[in-house]
Amino acid sequence: MLLTGYAQGIFPMAHAEHNWEVYWYAPDPRTILPLDTFHVSKSLARTVRKGIYEIRYDTAFREVMLACAEPRGDGQGTWISDELIDGYLELHEMGFAHSVEAWLDGELVGGLYGIALRGMFAGESMFHRATDASKVCLVHLVEHLKAKGFVLHDCQFMTPHLSKFGAQEITRYEYEERLRDALLVDAHF
């Protein structure tokens, strides 16, 4: 069901206030992160070059999801229910869900996860426990997606954080056109 949803341009979110019921979303506008115009600040580029964090892919998917599901410091809850964790873990085992992880002294200090479906990557959530750890993961993810031939990076909703990287809002119609094109691309994470 999750893969069918992503292929149609919709994604799930659970709501604690509604007994963790899952709702499906197709926002208009939709936020994407153009891979060819991805912007990295000078200070973040220095951090990436220093290699402070060891970057790994898919070695701690469950741990990344659980960290992303923790309540945020801003008082906002989570949209990631136990049911969604189980579903994304199954997608990970099938090779569709992936994590990018930042490690420091053997400890997971940041990461992100999402869904790779042909030429589309849908970023789902990120977390950090050390300065810039999730941002460094995002920089590595974008470079990885470009190298592997992905053409669409879906971010779902605009945030101030994503806007700093050059995220753009497009209409749902335009998103669906780009998604159709991305699903024709034979990219592999």
Side-chain angles (χ1 to χ4, degrees), residues 64-85:
V64 169
M65 274 211 76
L66 292 174
C68 288
E70 292 174 0
R72 307 285 174 160
D74 57 12
Q76 292 187 342
T78 182
W79 58 268
I80 305 169
S81 66
D82 290 342
E83 178 184 15
L84 287 177
I85 290 171

Side-chain angles (χ1 to χ4, degrees), residues 1-4 6 58 61 84-99 114-118 187-189:
M1 181 184 282
L2 285 168
L3 288 179
T4 300
Y6 283 98
D58 291 335
F61 184 85
L84 287 177
I85 290 171
D86 290 343
Y88 285 105
L89 285 171
E90 188 173 337
L91 287 181
H92 175 66
E93 291 169 9
M94 295 168 61
F96 292 103
H98 301 279
S99 60
I115 301 298
L117 186 58
R118 308 233 1 122
H188 300 277
F189 194 85

